[in-house]
Amino acid sequence: MVVVFVLVAVAVFALLAGVHRYVWRRLVGDTTAQGSLARRAGTVAVWVLPLLSVGAFAGGRAGFPFWLQRVLAWPGYLWLAVLLYLTLALLVGEAARPLLRRLLARRAARTAAAGTEPAAVPRTAALVAATSATETPAGAPAEAPVEAATDTDAPAASPPPESVPEPEAEPAPEPSPHTPADPSRRLFVARAVGGAAALAGLGTVGYGTYGVLRGPRVKRITVPLARLPRSAHGFRIAVVSDIHLGPILGRAHTRRIVDTINATSPDLVAVVGDLVDGTVADLGTAAEPLAGLEARHGSYFVTGNHEYFSGAAEWVDHVRELGLRPLENARVEIAGFDLASVNDVAGESEGQGPDFAAALGDRDRSRASVLLAHQPVVIDDAVAHGVDLQLSGHTHGGQLWPGNLLAELANPTVAGLERYGDTQLYVSRGAGAWGPPVRVGAPSDITVVELASKRT
């Protein structure tokens, strides 16, 4: 196991080193002069930024002071997102480079041909030039016009010299793809493609960061449940997952989420795991606005995998103090249905993994049931225990495109509502972000799930 971990770590570092080398060559090496200030600055950045990223990831695990984690987090995490989209944009630019070079070469060839072509000599000007040699010099007496010669002894007039045709200009040769490009043209192409890639990468990350910092948007869905009684028709559950309070997202982020949830006037609030990335000592105050959640049937909390990285027992106690009810492999009866919850699978390392028998084993199966489970991968257990609806998070919807493609390999559902047998699974994209505070192609959300009875 250790050998596999080491091999994976070496492969990841080798990949990152190769990507950084490629980005440096395209954005710095190809666009700046050797020894220039710009090249030195770019080289320093390519060394320092990945070190900040490593520090941002390792800071929490290594026990760095929280203030230092915050200093490292912004540049370290953001650089990873910028690196991703810079690399993708530069790879797209590789296809544009030869096209741009050929276009510029043809334009330069046409310009050169137009500048060296001899000007056409007008016919009248040629005639004047041909006769100017016979004109009388200034000051000489004018001679009488010469009459037509009739004397056979008179010498015959010499015929005018024939005009020599100008040689035709040869067409400019077509540029060959194998001809070395002009250095200035090559520099222009490198700077144009590099600049466009930088604008695309930074613009994408900037917009994705704004989407996270402005807070999640409300999404509403209706889920019919066959066993839900008419008395519970229209029951609304506000589902929020993956808030990820940490060195970047703090108390203000929690306040935005609480205000957004309260504005929907839900009957019940379900906080479905990954509330934090840090300890209660560092982030307890950032979570305090959760005490302001308002719902007729209360607010419930279930652990996610990141709670087990941050001290799950302490966080369970803390959210209880804030007025939320932790459901650890447990079940409660709500008006018209059972609300159950299982711990996250990451708790298995601490002997606190999911226990479906404890949460659902002895329930009345004639009642509808809603299960809170952080990870969608437990859907097979939910189906086996006759759950009507499972509410999950964890995937972030992929968070950074094309991360959704990787998320699809590890999860049955990445985002949205799908059916598995008689059980429906809804996966929220989450309200925060892990690592880079950036979302691209996977906007954050708080989902209001309205339960509908088929008996109406």
Side-chain angles (χ1 to χ4, degrees):
M1 186 67 179
V2 175
V3 174
V4 173
F5 176 79
V6 171
L7 291 176
V8 171
V10 170
V12 170
F13 277 109
L15 176 62
L16 288 176
V19 171
H20 279 86
R21 171 64 182 171
Y22 170 72
V23 170
W24 178 90
R25 181 166 64 88
R26 285 309 192 198
L27 291 184
V28 181
D30 291 350
T31 62
T32 60
Q34 188 171 2
S36 65
L37 178 61
R39 176 167 291 198
R40 287 196 294 267
T43 303
V44 170
V46 168
W47 279 98
V48 171
L49 288 171
L51 293 177
L52 293 176
S53 298
V54 172
F57 271 107
R61 300 291 181 88
F64 290 2
F66 191 63
W67 66 266
L68 181 56
Q69 294 181 42
R70 298 183 68 178
V71 169
L72 296 173
W74 276 104
Y77 285 135
L78 281 177
W79 170 243
L80 292 176
V82 171
L83 178 66
L84 170 63
Y85 292 106
L86 269 181
T87 303
L88 292 176
L90 287 171
L91 290 174
V92 172
E94 295 296 341
R97 284 174 183 274
L99 299 178
L100 186 56
R101 287 196 197 102
R102 181 176 290 274
L103 178 64
L104 291 175
R106 288 182 175 176
R107 182 177 178 182
R110 287 196 299 267
T111 302
T116 57
E117 183 179 352
V121 181
R123 181 176 180 81
T124 56
L127 292 174
V128 171
T131 57
S132 62
T134 60
E135 289 182 357
T136 304
E143 296 182 1
V146 179
E147 295 291 338
T150 56
D151 189 352
T152 56
D153 295 331
S158 301
E162 296 182 2
S163 59
V164 179
E166 296 286 342
E168 296 183 2
E170 295 182 1
E174 283 290 320
S176 170
H178 304 290
T179 302
D182 181 78
S184 61
R185 187 161 64 244
R186 187 168 59 246
L187 180 62
F188 175 81
V189 170
R191 288 179 174 175
V193 174
L199 286 176
L202 293 173
T204 300
V205 172
Y207 183 76
T209 303
Y210 167 74
V212 171
L213 297 183
R214 76 181 176 190
R217 294 294 184 256
V218 174
K219 181 179 179 181
R220 299 176 185 272
I221 64 169
T222 300
V223 182
L225 301 181
R227 289 178 284 191
L228 190 73
R230 285 182 293 178
S231 60
H233 180 77
F235 192 97
R236 290 174 301 151
I237 303 174
V239 180
V240 58
S241 72
D242 302 280
I243 297 174
H244 284 288
L245 299 179
I248 292 178
L249 301 176
R251 187 183 180 95
H253 184 63
T254 310
R255 171 51 58 192
R256 284 190 294 269
I257 290 172
V258 169
D259 291 343
T260 302
I261 291 174
N262 289 345
T264 67
S265 300
D267 296 306
L268 184 146
V269 176
V271 181
V272 194
D274 279 8
L275 170 64
V276 293
D277 284 310
T279 64
V280 173
D282 291 333
L283 296 171
T285 56
E288 286 178 354
L290 293 174
L293 286 171
E294 299 173 357
R296 187 159 55 100
H297 291 274
S299 301
Y300 293 83
F301 171 77
V302 56
T303 56
N305 56 308
H306 282 250
E307 272 71 57
Y308 292 99
F309 305 151
S310 308
E314 290 81 3
W315 275 111
V316 167
D317 291 339
H318 189 65
V319 298
R320 184 181 288 112
E321 293 171 358
L322 296 177
L324 283 75
R325 180 173 177 179
L327 279 184
E328 298 182 274
N329 295 323
R331 180 181 74 255
V332 295
E333 291 186 1
I334 306 294
F337 66 96
D338 293 337
L339 179 70
S341 172
V342 291
N343 294 347
D344 187 73
V345 294
E348 293 175 349
S349 61
E350 302 180 12
Q352 300 176 10
D355 188 340
F356 283 85
L360 297 163
D362 58 349
R363 74 180 189 87
D364 180 0
R365 292 210 173 195
S366 66
R367 289 171 57 86
S369 59
V370 176
L371 174 69
L372 308 181
H374 177 65
Q375 297 195 40
V377 294
V378 300
I379 183 61
D380 291 336
D381 294 293
V383 173
H385 286 81
V387 170
D388 295 279
L389 172 64
Q390 176 179 319
L391 301 175
S392 298
H394 182 66
T395 67
H396 298 205
Q399 185 169 327
L400 295 172
W401 182 92
N404 58 304
L405 302 179
L406 297 177
E408 287 174 359
L409 298 177
N411 297 277
T413 298
V414 174
L417 182 67
E418 291 186 356
R419 177 178 288 276
Y420 295 85
D422 293 331
T423 302
Q424 298 180 79
L425 169 64
Y426 179 76
V427 180
S428 168
R429 292 190 178 96
W434 178 72
V438 183
R439 282 178 172 265
V440 177
S444 58
D445 66 60
I446 293 169
T447 305
V448 177
V449 177
E450 182 171 332
L451 306 181
S453 172
K454 292 185 175 181
R455 301 177 184 179
T456 57

